[in-house]
Amino acid sequence: MADEFFEDDDPYFQVADRLDAGEAPGKVHAWAAKQQKKAKDKVLRSQWDEALRYIGEEHPELKR
């Protein structure tokens, strides 16, 4: 599904897409945290941080 607001490689979109597809929030969070650690660009790491915050807001049971 093409959406002008989101880009396919945007971390927030990737996280939201996985959650919408029914993937377990804990698995999505673990995957996103791993992607953030692998990101070499400061801006990309920041985008992953935003995506991780989104998961935490949508699924407060994951907050540690």
Side-chain angles (χ1 to χ4, degrees):
M1 173 165 93
D3 189 330
E4 292 179 23
F5 183 73
F6 291 113
E7 294 182 26
D8 287 342
D9 60 348
D10 180 86
Y12 180 88
F13 173 76
Q14 291 180 42
V15 164
D17 193 41
R18 284 174 172 247
L19 291 171
D20 289 346
E23 193 168 336
K27 286 186 177 186
V28 176
H29 187 276
W31 171 80
K34 186 176 180 181
Q35 297 304 312
Q36 182 187 33
K37 288 179 183 176
K38 291 184 347 185
K40 297 180 184 197
D41 181 71
K42 185 177 181 179
V43 172
L44 187 56
R45 280 192 306 269
S46 175
Q47 290 174 334
W48 280 112
D49 187 50
E50 180 181 330
L52 287 165
R53 277 195 306 272
Y54 168 72
I55 296 169
E57 290 172 3
E58 292 295 312
H59 300 279
E61 71 276 7
L62 296 176
K63 288 190 177 184
R64 297 167 193 163

